[in-house]
Amino acid sequence: MSQTLLFPDAVPALFGDKVYLRELTEDDVPAWFARASDPESAVLAGDPLPDSVEMGVHWLQRHRERFRQHAALRWAIVPTGSTDSVGTIGLTITSKAERRAELGIVIGRADWGKGIGTSAARLVTGYAFSTLGLAEIQAEVLRRNLASRRLLEKVGFHLLRTIPGDPHSDTNFEDCFLFVLSSQNRTPAEQRRDIVWS
Ligand SMILES: CC(C)(COP(=O)(O)OP(=O)(O)OC[C@H]1O[C@@H](n2cnc3c(N)ncnc32)[C@H](O)[C@@H]1OP(=O)(O)O)[C@@H](O)C(=O)NCCC(=O)NCCS
């Protein structure tokens, strides 16, 4: 395994059992706005509520710019057999030297609980370790976010520590769990998962 990150020239398409992941486009903005303006989902994801769908232009530009800077990768999540995205998933590089990134994922409420998030996270973690060259992926979730915690455990993440909420903070007042998945700790079954990408 390379000791440096092999950042791609284009966002790679990844194909799994229930979903495929592809580059974000302008067509994904309306679905982004519907998700991002859902107050419960926004709090769980740690994202601010957008004022208007026009902010989707900046949302897309920001992801493209961070990709160009080799700072992050973000995919649209599309259920197999469809062309419309139902969510996004991404990796933000938090340490190039230590080959570490943070996982983020949001799916629209209408598609929660269908296994889509788990399928997408398996694709991204598989790609991250076998092709991108990450050594470790972290994920920070609100302690009360049971769906996200369960998703991470299913994909092989382990609880690293609790990040206590700050009662004096306006934004970070809730307890969070920090989960970690290391390339060395993946089981052979996790490494064999059905990952195909172009
Ligand atoms: C968290 C999220 C990405 C999960 O995606 P999803 O496609 O709904 O997840 P899956 O269908 O793959 O389900 C994952 C597991 O969580 C379980 N789960 C779902 N909702 C649950 C809940 N409210 N309580 C407990 N478990 C729950 C599912 O049953 C499944 O476990 P199982 O296979 O053992 O039954 C999605 O709910 C979401 O986008 N939420 C809002 C934003 C968010 O929280 N993002 C993550 C921030 S870290």
Side-chain angles (χ1 to χ4, degrees):
M1 174 54 68
S2 165
Q3 294 303 301
T4 56
L5 292 184
L6 297 172
F7 211 89
D9 295 331
V11 177
L14 309 178
F15 296 88
D17 51 354
K18 292 192 170 158
V19 297
Y20 67 96
L21 309 182
R22 58 156 173 76
E23 185 174 16
L24 293 170
T25 73
E26 281 73 8
D27 292 343
D28 298 311
V29 169
W32 161 80
F33 183 67
R35 276 192 308 278
S37 52
D38 176 331
E40 184 192 359
S41 176
V43 169
L44 291 173
D47 292 333
L49 284 170
D51 296 328
S52 68
V53 70
E54 281 69 40
M55 290 178 75
V57 175
H58 302 291
W59 167 78
L60 194 55
Q61 275 174 352
R62 194 170 61 250
H63 284 303
R64 286 176 172 161
E65 185 56 28
R66 298 178 80 204
F67 177 76
R68 273 194 294 272
Q69 295 166 346
H70 293 189
L73 277 149
R74 195 92 193 175
W75 290 265
I77 303 173
V78 186
T80 304
S82 173
T83 51
D84 297 334
S85 64
V86 297
T88 70
I89 185 165
L91 293 165
T92 300
I93 309 298
T94 49
S95 169
K96 281 187 182 157
E98 294 177 27
R99 294 181 290 128
R100 188 191 310 126
E102 180 162 339
L103 182 76
I105 178 167
V106 187
I107 290 168
R109 182 181 289 274
D111 290 287
W112 286 359
K114 298 180 182 172
I116 288 175
T118 303
S119 180
R122 283 192 175 131
L123 283 174
V124 168
T125 53
Y127 167 79
F129 291 129
S130 63
T131 302
L132 183 57
L134 285 180
E136 185 178 288
I137 304 174
Q138 297 187 341
E140 194 178 313
V141 303
L142 290 181
R143 185 181 190 138
R144 67 180 166 91
N145 192 344
L146 301 181
S148 188
R149 284 167 52 181
R150 177 76 187 122
L151 178 158
L152 292 169
E153 284 165 1
K154 286 180 70 180
V155 175
F157 282 75
H158 302 283
L159 179 61
L160 189 62
R161 64 187 167 89
T162 303
I163 304 169
D166 175 358
H168 304 296
S169 167
D170 288 339
T171 47
N172 300 323
F173 51 87
E174 287 197 58
D175 287 356
C176 290
F177 280 168
L178 184 63
F179 282 87
V180 65
L181 179 61
S182 147
S183 62
Q184 290 169 345
N185 293 349
R186 296 180 82 224
T187 64
E190 283 161 358
Q191 292 174 27
R192 277 198 307 273
R193 284 244 155 74
D194 54 340
I195 301 160
V196 184
W197 51 80
S198 62

CSV table of all heavy atoms in Angstrom, one decimal, residues 113-149:
chain,number,residue,atom,x,y,z
A,113,GLY,N,-33.7,4.2,6.1
A,113,GLY,CA,-34.0,2.9,6.6
A,113,GLY,C,-34.1,1.9,5.5
A,113,GLY,O,-34.7,0.8,5.7
A,114,LYS,N,-33.6,2.1,4.3
A,114,LYS,CA,-33.7,1.2,3.2
A,114,LYS,C,-32.3,0.5,2.9
A,114,LYS,O,-32.2,-0.2,1.9
A,114,LYS,CB,-34.1,1.9,1.9
A,114,LYS,CG,-35.5,2.5,2.0
A,114,LYS,CD,-35.9,3.2,0.7
A,114,LYS,CE,-37.2,3.8,0.7
A,114,LYS,NZ,-37.5,4.6,-0.5
A,115,GLY,N,-31.4,0.8,3.8
A,115,GLY,CA,-30.0,0.2,3.6
A,115,GLY,C,-29.2,1.0,2.6
A,115,GLY,O,-28.0,0.5,2.3
A,116,ILE,N,-29.6,2.1,2.1
A,116,ILE,CA,-28.9,2.9,1.2
A,116,ILE,C,-27.6,3.5,1.8
A,116,ILE,O,-26.5,3.5,1.2
A,116,ILE,CB,-29.8,4.0,0.6
A,116,ILE,CG1,-30.9,3.4,-0.3
A,116,ILE,CG2,-29.0,5.1,-0.1
A,116,ILE,CD1,-31.9,4.3,-0.8
A,117,GLY,N,-27.7,4.0,3.0
A,117,GLY,CA,-26.6,4.6,3.7
A,117,GLY,C,-25.5,3.6,3.9
A,117,GLY,O,-24.3,3.8,3.7
A,118,THR,N,-25.9,2.4,4.4
A,118,THR,CA,-24.9,1.3,4.6
A,118,THR,C,-24.2,0.9,3.3
A,118,THR,O,-22.9,0.8,3.3
A,118,THR,CB,-25.6,0.1,5.3
A,118,THR,OG1,-26.3,0.5,6.4
A,118,THR,CG2,-24.6,-1.0,5.6
A,119,SER,N,-25.0,0.8,2.3
A,119,SER,CA,-24.4,0.4,1.0
A,119,SER,C,-23.4,1.4,0.5
A,119,SER,O,-22.3,1.1,0.0
A,119,SER,CB,-25.5,0.2,0.0
A,119,SER,OG,-25.0,-0.2,-1.2
A,120,ALA,N,-23.8,2.7,0.6
A,120,ALA,CA,-22.9,3.8,0.1
A,120,ALA,C,-21.6,3.9,1.0
A,120,ALA,O,-20.5,4.1,0.4
A,120,ALA,CB,-23.7,5.1,0.2
A,121,ALA,N,-21.8,3.7,2.3
A,121,ALA,CA,-20.6,3.8,3.2
A,121,ALA,C,-19.6,2.7,2.9
A,121,ALA,O,-18.4,2.8,3.0
A,121,ALA,CB,-21.0,3.9,4.6
A,122,ARG,N,-20.2,1.5,2.6
A,122,ARG,CA,-19.3,0.4,2.3
A,122,ARG,C,-18.5,0.6,1.0
A,122,ARG,O,-17.3,0.3,0.9
A,122,ARG,CB,-20.1,-0.9,2.1
A,122,ARG,CG,-20.5,-1.5,3.5
A,122,ARG,CD,-21.1,-2.9,3.3
A,122,ARG,NE,-21.3,-3.5,4.6
A,122,ARG,CZ,-22.5,-4.0,5.0
A,122,ARG,NH1,-23.4,-4.2,4.1
A,122,ARG,NH2,-22.6,-4.5,6.2
A,123,LEU,N,-19.1,1.2,0.0
A,123,LEU,CA,-18.4,1.6,-1.2
A,123,LEU,C,-17.3,2.6,-1.0
A,123,LEU,O,-16.2,2.4,-1.4
A,123,LEU,CB,-19.4,2.2,-2.2
A,123,LEU,CG,-20.3,1.2,-3.0
A,123,LEU,CD1,-21.3,2.0,-3.8
A,123,LEU,CD2,-19.5,0.3,-3.8
A,124,VAL,N,-17.6,3.6,-0.2
A,124,VAL,CA,-16.6,4.7,0.0
A,124,VAL,C,-15.5,4.2,0.9
A,124,VAL,O,-14.3,4.5,0.6
A,124,VAL,CB,-17.3,5.9,0.6
A,124,VAL,CG1,-16.3,6.9,1.1
A,124,VAL,CG2,-18.2,6.6,-0.4
A,125,THR,N,-15.8,3.4,1.9
A,125,THR,CA,-14.6,2.9,2.7
A,125,THR,C,-13.8,1.9,2.0
A,125,THR,O,-12.6,2.0,2.1
A,125,THR,CB,-15.2,2.3,4.1
A,125,THR,OG1,-16.1,1.3,3.7
A,125,THR,CG2,-15.8,3.3,5.0
A,126,GLY,N,-14.4,1.1,1.1
A,126,GLY,CA,-13.6,0.2,0.3
A,126,GLY,C,-12.7,0.9,-0.6
A,126,GLY,O,-11.5,0.6,-0.7
A,127,TYR,N,-13.3,1.9,-1.3
A,127,TYR,CA,-12.5,2.7,-2.2
A,127,TYR,C,-11.4,3.5,-1.5
A,127,TYR,O,-10.2,3.5,-1.9
A,127,TYR,CB,-13.4,3.7,-3.0
A,127,TYR,CG,-12.6,4.8,-3.7
A,127,TYR,CD1,-12.0,4.5,-4.9
A,127,TYR,CD2,-12.5,6.0,-3.1
A,127,TYR,CE1,-11.3,5.5,-5.6
A,127,TYR,CE2,-11.8,7.0,-3.8
A,127,TYR,CZ,-11.2,6.7,-5.0
A,127,TYR,OH,-10.5,7.7,-5.6
A,128,ALA,N,-11.7,4.0,-0.3
A,128,ALA,CA,-10.8,4.8,0.4
A,128,ALA,C,-9.5,4.0,0.8
A,128,ALA,O,-8.4,4.5,0.8
A,128,ALA,CB,-11.4,5.4,1.7
A,129,PHE,N,-9.7,2.8,1.2
A,129,PHE,CA,-8.6,2.0,1.7
A,129,PHE,C,-7.8,1.3,0.5
A,129,PHE,O,-6.6,1.3,0.5
A,129,PHE,CB,-9.0,0.9,2.7
A,129,PHE,CG,-9.5,1.5,4.0
A,129,PHE,CD1,-10.7,1.1,4.5
A,129,PHE,CD2,-8.7,2.4,4.7
A,129,PHE,CE1,-11.1,1.7,5.7
A,129,PHE,CE2,-9.1,2.9,5.9
A,129,PHE,CZ,-10.3,2.6,6.4
A,130,SER,N,-8.6,0.8,-0.5
A,130,SER,CA,-7.9,0.0,-1.5
A,130,SER,C,-7.3,0.9,-2.6
A,130,SER,O,-6.4,0.4,-3.3
A,130,SER,CB,-8.8,-1.1,-2.0
A,130,SER,OG,-9.9,-0.4,-2.7
A,131,THR,N,-7.9,2.0,-2.9
A,131,THR,CA,-7.5,2.8,-4.0
A,131,THR,C,-6.9,4.2,-3.6
A,131,THR,O,-5.8,4.6,-4.0
A,131,THR,CB,-8.6,3.0,-5.0
A,131,THR,OG1,-9.1,1.7,-5.4
A,131,THR,CG2,-8.2,3.8,-6.3
A,132,LEU,N,-7.7,4.9,-2.8
A,132,LEU,CA,-7.2,6.3,-2.4
A,132,LEU,C,-6.0,6.2,-1.5
A,132,LEU,O,-5.1,7.1,-1.5
A,132,LEU,CB,-8.4,7.0,-1.7
A,132,LEU,CG,-8.2,8.4,-1.2
A,132,LEU,CD1,-7.8,9.3,-2.4
A,132,LEU,CD2,-9.5,8.9,-0.6
A,133,GLY,N,-5.9,5.1,-0.7
A,133,GLY,CA,-4.7,4.9,0.1
A,133,GLY,C,-4.8,5.5,1.5
A,133,GLY,O,-3.8,5.7,2.2
A,134,LEU,N,-6.1,5.7,2.0
A,134,LEU,CA,-6.2,6.1,3.4
A,134,LEU,C,-5.8,5.0,4.4
A,134,LEU,O,-5.9,3.8,4.1
A,134,LEU,CB,-7.7,6.5,3.7
A,134,LEU,CG,-8.2,7.8,3.1
A,134,LEU,CD1,-9.7,8.0,3.5
A,134,LEU,CD2,-7.4,9.0,3.6
A,135,ALA,N,-5.3,5.5,5.5
A,135,ALA,CA,-5.0,4.6,6.6
A,135,ALA,C,-6.1,4.5,7.6
A,135,ALA,O,-6.3,3.5,8.3
A,135,ALA,CB,-3.7,5.0,7.3
A,136,GLU,N,-6.9,5.6,7.7
A,136,GLU,CA,-7.9,5.7,8.8
A,136,GLU,C,-9.0,6.6,8.4
A,136,GLU,O,-8.8,7.7,7.7
A,136,GLU,CB,-7.2,6.2,10.1
A,136,GLU,CG,-8.2,6.2,11.3
A,136,GLU,CD,-7.4,6.6,12.5
A,136,GLU,OE1,-6.6,5.9,13.0
A,136,GLU,OE2,-7.7,7.8,12.9
A,137,ILE,N,-10.2,6.2,8.7
A,137,ILE,CA,-11.4,7.1,8.5
A,137,ILE,C,-12.1,7.3,9.8
A,137,ILE,O,-12.3,6.3,10.6
A,137,ILE,CB,-12.4,6.4,7.5
A,137,ILE,CG1,-11.7,6.1,6.2
A,137,ILE,CG2,-13.6,7.4,7.3
A,137,ILE,CD1,-12.6,5.4,5.2
A,138,GLN,N,-12.4,8.5,10.1
A,138,GLN,CA,-13.1,8.8,11.4
A,138,GLN,C,-14.5,9.3,11.0
A,138,GLN,O,-14.8,9.9,9.9
A,138,GLN,CB,-12.4,9.9,12.2
A,138,GLN,CG,-11.0,9.4,12.7
A,138,GLN,CD,-10.3,10.4,13.6
A,138,GLN,OE1,-10.7,11.6,13.7
A,138,GLN,NE2,-9.3,9.9,14.3
A,139,ALA,N,-15.4,9.2,12.0
A,139,ALA,CA,-16.8,9.8,11.8
A,139,ALA,C,-17.3,10.2,13.2
A,139,ALA,O,-17.2,9.5,14.2
A,139,ALA,CB,-17.7,8.7,11.2
A,140,GLU,N,-17.7,11.5,13.2
A,140,GLU,CA,-18.2,12.1,14.4
A,140,GLU,C,-19.8,12.1,14.4
A,140,GLU,O,-20.3,12.7,13.4
A,140,GLU,CB,-17.7,13.5,14.6
A,140,GLU,CG,-17.8,14.0,16.0
A,140,GLU,CD,-17.2,15.4,16.2
A,140,GLU,OE1,-16.0,15.5,15.8
A,140,GLU,OE2,-17.8,16.3,16.7
A,141,VAL,N,-20.5,11.5,15.3
A,141,VAL,CA,-21.9,11.5,15.3
A,141,VAL,C,-22.5,12.0,16.6
A,141,VAL,O,-21.9,11.7,17.7
A,141,VAL,CB,-22.5,10.1,15.0
A,141,VAL,CG1,-22.0,9.6,13.7
A,141,VAL,CG2,-22.2,9.1,16.1
A,142,LEU,N,-23.7,12.6,16.6
A,142,LEU,CA,-24.3,12.9,17.9
A,142,LEU,C,-24.6,11.6,18.6
A,142,LEU,O,-25.0,10.6,17.9
A,142,LEU,CB,-25.6,13.6,17.6
A,142,LEU,CG,-25.5,15.1,17.1
A,142,LEU,CD1,-26.9,15.7,16.9
A,142,LEU,CD2,-24.7,15.9,18.1
A,143,ARG,N,-24.4,11.6,19.9
A,143,ARG,CA,-24.7,10.4,20.6
A,143,ARG,C,-26.1,9.8,20.4
A,143,ARG,O,-26.3,8.6,20.4
A,143,ARG,CB,-24.5,10.7,22.1
A,143,ARG,CG,-24.6,9.6,23.1
A,143,ARG,CD,-24.4,10.0,24.5
A,143,ARG,NE,-24.3,8.9,25.3
A,143,ARG,CZ,-23.4,8.8,26.3
A,143,ARG,NH1,-22.6,9.8,26.6
A,143,ARG,NH2,-23.4,7.7,27.0
A,144,ARG,N,-27.1,10.7,20.2
A,144,ARG,CA,-28.5,10.3,20.0
A,144,ARG,C,-28.8,9.9,18.6
A,144,ARG,O,-29.9,9.5,18.3
A,144,ARG,CB,-29.4,11.4,20.5
A,144,ARG,CG,-29.4,12.6,19.6
A,144,ARG,CD,-30.4,13.7,20.1
A,144,ARG,NE,-30.1,15.0,19.5
A,144,ARG,CZ,-30.7,15.4,18.4
A,144,ARG,NH1,-31.6,14.6,17.8
A,144,ARG,NH2,-30.5,16.6,18.0
A,145,ASN,N,-27.8,9.9,17.7
A,145,ASN,CA,-28.1,9.6,16.3
A,145,ASN,C,-27.9,8.1,16.1
A,145,ASN,O,-26.9,7.6,15.6
A,145,ASN,CB,-27.1,10.4,15.4
A,145,ASN,CG,-27.5,10.3,13.9
A,145,ASN,OD1,-28.3,9.4,13.5
A,145,ASN,ND2,-27.0,11.1,13.1
A,146,LEU,N,-29.0,7.3,16.5
A,146,LEU,CA,-28.9,5.9,16.5
A,146,LEU,C,-28.7,5.3,15.1
A,146,LEU,O,-28.0,4.3,15.0
A,146,LEU,CB,-30.1,5.3,17.2
A,146,LEU,CG,-30.3,5.7,18.7
A,146,LEU,CD1,-31.6,5.1,19.3
A,146,LEU,CD2,-29.1,5.4,19.5
A,147,ALA,N,-29.4,5.9,14.1
A,147,ALA,CA,-29.2,5.3,12.8
A,147,ALA,C,-27.8,5.4,12.3
A,147,ALA,O,-27.2,4.5,11.7
A,147,ALA,CB,-30.2,6.1,11.8
A,148,SER,N,-27.2,6.6,12.5
A,148,SER,CA,-25.8,6.8,12.0
A,148,SER,C,-24.8,5.9,12.8
A,148,SER,O,-23.9,5.3,12.2
A,148,SER,CB,-25.4,8.2,12.2
A,148,SER,OG,-24.2,8.5,11.6
A,149,ARG,N,-25.0,5.7,14.1
A,149,ARG,CA,-24.2,4.9,14.9
A,149,ARG,C,-24.3,3.4,14.4
A,149,ARG,O,-23.3,2.7,14.2
A,149,ARG,CB,-24.6,4.9,16.4
A,149,ARG,CG,-24.1,6.2,17.0
A,149,ARG,CD,-24.7,6.4,18.4
A,149,ARG,NE,-24.6,5.3,19.3
A,149,ARG,CZ,-25.2,5.3,20.5
A,149,ARG,NH1,-25.8,6.3,21.0
A,149,ARG,NH2,-25.1,4.2,21.2
